[in-house]
Amino acid sequence: MKIRNKVFLIILFYFFTLFCGIYLCSDGILLRGVQEIELDTSSGNYHRAIHALDFQLDEIATMNRDWAWWDDTYEFMVTGDERYIQSNLVDDTYLNAELNLICYFDTTGTLLYGRTFDHAAGRLMPLPENLDAALVRGGVIGDGTGGECVRGIISAPDGRMLISAEPIRRSDSTGPSRGTLIMGRYLENGVLEKMKKLTSLSIAFFDYGDPAVDEGLVPVDASLDGASSADMAFFYSRDGQKISCIGTIKDVAGTPALVLRTEEVRQTFLHGMVAIHYYVILLLGISLGTSLLLYAFLRGHIITRIEALRDTIIKIADIGEYSSRVDIDGDDEISDLSVSMNGMLASLEQGQQRLRESEERYRQIFDNAQDAMIVCQCTENDEHLPVIVNVNGETCRLLGYNESEIRNSSPADIIHPDFEGGFSALLQFMEEQHTIRVNGALVSKTGSRTPIEMSAHLFAIRDIRTFIIVARDITERRVYESMRQEAFEQIDKNMEQFAILNDEIRNPLQVILGFLLIDDCDHQEQIIGQIEEIDRIITELDLGWIESEKVRKFLRKYHGEY
C-alpha cells in the first residue's frame, strides 16, 4: 500500500475515532448534563407550583388573621350579635375574597356560625354534613385554647379545600382566645387557574392513589443526578416531548391527600440538544478541517517529496544510469535521505564503472584468447544437462558457427573428448573431481574435426552449476610432432647407414694398404699418407656418431619416444 493511502487511512481513522469520541462524549456527558439540568428545571417548576399553592394559603391566612384579630369578631364570639353577621358575612365577602367557607368555633369546639358559598349559584349554603367533623379530624379545631394558626389542605365532603384556622383575639393580638375562625377555599374554585396563571405552568391535581397520575408516562432514568427523590418523581411523555414532575401534598394532619403534577415541554432538553448538535457539528467541522489541513500539509511537505524521491530512484533504476542524482530541497530527514541516496548512487556509479571495466577486461581477454573458450551452465529443468551460454571468437572460428547459432546448444554436439565413455562420462568425472585435462576434437559446422587439448573446470555461479572449457588447437603440434618423429627416424636410419659406411670404407683401405706394403711403388709414401688421412677422417666420423647417439638418447629421454 502506498504511503499516500496509508496516511489517508490514518487520518480517516483519526477522524472516525474523534467522531466516535465526540459522539460518546456528547451522549455520555453533555446530553446527560442537559438531562440533569432539565430535571433541575422541572424540579424548580414543581416547587414554583408549591409556592403558588402556599401563596394562596398565605393569602387566605392573611385575610383570616385580619378577621380573627379584630375587636368586632372578638365581641361577636361573646354576644353572637346578628348585626356582625349581616354587616360582614354577606355574599360580597365570599365573592371578593373568593372564599367558600367561613366558620366560627368557640373554645369548646362548638360551631357558632358556619356557611359555605356556592360561587356557581352565587348564594350561601349551609355547611355540608360532617364538615365540622372533618375539621376536627384534621386537627384544625383543637382544644379551644386558641393556639397557633393552622393552615393547609383538608378532605371535605365536597372536595379538597385550602383552609386557614386562626385563634380569635383582640385587634392588638392580646387574648385570651375566644375561639377559632376558619376560612377555606375549594381547589376547584379558581385555585388551579390562579396557580397556572401565576406560574405559567401546566398544573394538575389528582387524588392520592389515582392511577391516572402517571398514565401514559415513562419514568426518567434513575441514574441521573436528581432523578431519585422521596418528595417527587420525574416522567417523560411517550413521545419524549414533555417532562412531568409529580409530588405528594399532605393535609394538615400530615396524611397524603393530593398529588401535584407539573408538565412542561422539554424546552431545556430541546435547546440543549440543538446546542449539542451545533457543538458536535462545529467540532466535526473543525476536526474535518484539521484533518484536511493535516493531510494537505503531509502531502505537500512529506508525501509529495517522498514520492518524488521514489520516482527519481525508480527512474534511475530503470535506465541504470547511476550518474544521475536525487534533488530534494529542504533541511529535514527527507533531504538527509536524498543526500544519503546520492552518496549511495555515487558508490553505485563507481562500482558500475569498475564493473564495466572489469567486464571489458574480461571480454577483451575472453574474446582475444588464442584458445577456444566455452561456458556452459546446467538448465533449471535438468541440472545434469549443461547448455552453452557463451563462447569466444576463437571458438566460432574453429567451429564455423556464429555465436547465436552455437548458444543454447549442447556441448556434447561439438566436443568429442578422448575419454572412455564419452562426454557424459567426462561430466560424471567432473562432478567428482571438478577439473579435468584431456585431449579430444572439436566438430565444426561442416563436420571436420579439429584436434584439441582441453581443460574443464566445474564451479557454481549463484547456485547454478557452471562449466568452463578451454580448448587449444593442437593441429600444428600434431604436424610438428609427426615431422619430428620422421626426423628422428631418418637420423636413426642415417646413423645406421653411416656406421655401415665407415666399415665399408675402412675395409677397402686396409686392402689397399696391404697391397702397398707388399709391392713398393714410387708413390707409396704419399698413398699411405692419404690412407692414414682417410682413416683419421673416418675415426673422427665415428667419434661424431658416438656424440650423435648421446644427443639422440637425450632427446628420447626428454621429448618422448619417436
Side-chain angles (χ1 to χ4, degrees):
M1 182 182 293
K2 293 184 177 180
I3 191 171
R4 180 194 297 268
N5 298 333
K6 289 183 179 179
V7 171
F8 179 77
L9 290 178
I10 290 172
I11 293 178
L12 184 64
F13 176 75
Y14 156 77
F15 178 75
F16 177 75
T17 304
L18 186 62
F19 172 78
C20 293
I22 292 174
Y23 177 79
L24 294 176
C25 180
S26 63
D27 183 68
I29 299 177
L30 298 179
L31 182 59
R32 190 179 183 86
V34 169
Q35 289 176 320
E36 291 176 353
I37 292 173
E38 179 185 43
L39 293 181
D40 187 62
T41 302
S42 181
S43 175
N45 289 333
Y46 174 82
H47 286 96
R48 284 176 56 208
I50 295 296
H51 292 160
L53 183 62
D54 289 340
F55 177 79
Q56 295 205 50
L57 284 171
D58 290 342
E59 185 181 41
I60 297 173
T62 300
M63 183 170 50
N64 192 16
R65 175 167 290 189
D66 289 341
W67 280 61
W69 291 7
W70 187 23
D71 291 340
D72 291 351
T73 303
Y74 195 76
E75 291 299 327
F76 172 73
M77 294 302 294
V78 176
T79 63
D81 191 354
E82 286 292 330
R83 289 179 298 177
Y84 177 87
I85 296 174
Q86 294 174 0
S87 299
N88 298 298
L89 303 176
V90 295
D91 293 349
D92 288 341
T93 300
Y94 289 92
L95 289 171
N96 293 333
E98 297 181 348
L99 294 174
N100 295 100
L101 171 67
I102 298 178
C103 293
Y104 293 82
F105 291 89
D106 61 15
T107 56
T108 63
T110 302
L111 178 65
L112 298 182
Y113 173 85
R115 294 288 187 275
T116 61
F117 188 80
D118 187 352
H119 284 267
R123 60 189 178 88
L124 288 170
M125 302 289 291
L127 288 178
E129 188 177 357
N130 298 323
L131 177 59
D132 54 348
L135 294 173
V136 174
R137 285 196 308 271
V140 178
I141 302 172
D143 56 6
T145 60
E148 294 297 327
C149 174
V150 177
R151 62 177 184 173
I153 299 175
I154 64 170
S155 298
D158 293 339
R160 305 295 179 180
M161 180 181 290
L162 302 180
I163 61 96
S164 173
E166 192 74 29
I168 298 174
R169 298 175 182 174
R170 296 185 182 92
S171 297
D172 59 0
S173 71
T174 60
S177 173
R178 291 182 174 176
T180 303
L181 174 60
I182 299 175
M183 292 184 178
R185 180 184 297 164
Y186 283 114
L187 288 177
E188 292 79 5
N189 186 21
V191 173
L192 191 58
E193 285 70 20
K194 280 188 175 182
M195 292 175 63
K196 290 180 180 179
K197 184 177 181 180
L198 184 63
T199 60
S200 300
L201 296 173
S202 174
I203 303 172
F205 286 106
F206 297 88
D207 291 334
Y208 184 77
D210 188 349
V213 173
D214 57 358
E215 185 178 357
L217 300 179
V218 179
V220 172
D221 184 5
S223 65
L224 294 174
D225 188 19
S228 299
S229 174
D231 299 331
M232 65 190 78
F234 299 92
F235 297 85
Y236 294 136
S237 61
R238 291 195 182 277
D239 59 4
Q241 297 299 312
K242 295 181 180 180
I243 185 172
S244 298
C245 182
I246 299 176
T248 303
I249 300 176
K250 297 179 180 180
D251 60 15
V252 293
T255 304
L258 289 176
V259 176
L260 173 64
R261 186 179 77 184
T262 60
E263 186 179 66
E264 57 187 305
V265 178
R266 302 179 67 186
Q267 293 293 340
T268 302
F269 177 78
L270 295 176
H271 291 162
M273 287 299 296
V274 171
I276 290 174
H277 289 162
Y278 280 123
Y279 173 74
V280 171
I281 291 173
L282 177 62
L283 287 181
L284 290 178
I286 294 174
S287 302
L288 180 60
T290 304
S291 300
L292 293 176
L293 289 176
L294 178 60
Y295 180 75
F297 175 80
L298 293 176
R299 184 176 181 274
H301 292 79
I302 298 178
I303 299 176
T304 303
R305 298 170 66 206
I306 293 177
E307 289 178 344
L309 178 62
R310 178 205 61 189
D311 294 340
T312 303
I313 295 299
I314 291 175
K315 182 179 179 181
I316 292 173
D318 289 341
I319 63 178
E321 186 57 51
Y322 298 117
S323 60
S324 302
R325 293 294 181 265
V326 178
D327 185 15
I328 300 295
D329 297 330
D331 186 16
D332 53 15
E333 287 79 0
I334 299 177
S335 59
D336 293 342
L337 179 61
S338 67
V339 173
S340 300
M341 293 298 297
N342 287 332
M344 183 184 69
L345 289 172
S347 299
L348 289 174
E349 181 184 9
Q350 295 175 1
Q352 186 184 50
Q353 182 64 30
R354 288 193 294 269
L355 180 61
R356 287 175 179 173
E357 293 174 357
S358 176
E359 288 179 349
E360 182 63 24
R361 286 195 298 270
Y362 162 77
R363 176 54 59 182
Q364 290 294 331
I365 294 172
F366 188 77
D367 288 340
N368 292 289
Q370 297 300 310
D371 296 331
M373 302 181 72
I374 303 171
V375 180
C376 306
Q377 286 184 336
C378 294
T379 61
E380 296 180 357
N381 296 330
D382 190 347
E383 60 178 12
H384 296 291
L385 293 178
V387 295
I388 298 174
V389 295
N390 200 2
V391 295
N392 65 348
E394 180 65 14
T395 304
C396 296
R397 185 188 68 79
L398 291 174
L399 297 177
Y401 292 101
N402 58 44
E403 186 175 349
S404 60
E405 290 176 330
I406 198 172
R407 186 171 291 176
N408 295 324
S409 63
S410 172
D413 296 336
I414 61 173
I415 300 175
H416 291 178
D418 295 339
F419 195 84
E420 184 178 357
F423 194 83
S424 58
L426 183 138
L427 290 178
Q428 186 174 0
F429 179 83
M430 287 185 63
E431 292 287 345
E432 300 173 356
Q433 302 298 327
H434 296 284
T435 185
I436 192 172
R437 184 183 295 273
V438 68
N439 291 337
L442 288 179
V443 180
S444 68
K445 186 175 183 180
T446 59
S448 62
R449 298 169 65 90
T450 301
I452 58 171
E453 179 187 63
M454 59 173 283
S455 62
H457 182 68
L458 172 64
F459 58 97
I461 298 178
R462 297 178 182 176
D463 297 329
I464 299 176
R465 294 166 63 251
T466 305
F467 300 87
I468 183 168
I469 300 172
V470 179
R472 177 169 294 176
D473 184 1
I474 59 174
T475 302
E476 293 181 359
R477 184 194 300 175
R478 289 284 179 87
V479 173
Y480 167 75
E481 290 175 351
S482 177
M483 292 175 63
R484 187 178 62 173
Q485 180 67 28
E486 292 177 358
F488 270 92
E489 291 176 354
Q490 186 63 42
I491 290 173
D492 288 341
K493 184 178 179 181
N494 292 339
M495 290 183 68
E496 290 175 0
Q497 292 177 354
F498 182 73
I500 294 170
L501 179 62
N502 287 344
D503 292 338
E504 290 179 351
I505 293 175
R506 275 196 174 95
N507 292 331
L509 286 176
Q510 292 295 329
V511 173
I512 294 173
L513 180 61
F515 282 114
L516 288 176
L517 293 176
I518 295 173
D519 296 323
D520 293 332
C521 63
D522 295 336
H523 302 286
Q524 182 180 6
E525 291 181 358
Q526 289 85 358
I527 295 171
I528 291 172
Q530 292 299 317
I531 290 171
E532 290 176 351
E533 181 66 21
I534 292 172
D535 184 64
R536 184 187 64 78
I537 292 172
I538 292 173
T539 300
E540 289 180 357
L541 288 175
D542 286 338
L543 293 174
W545 179 87
I546 293 171
E547 293 296 326
S548 296
E549 183 66 19
K550 292 180 179 179
V551 172
R552 185 176 64 176
K553 290 180 179 179
F554 175 83
L555 291 176
R556 286 180 176 177
K557 180 178 180 180
Y558 293 100
H559 294 276
E561 190 71 34
Y562 294 95

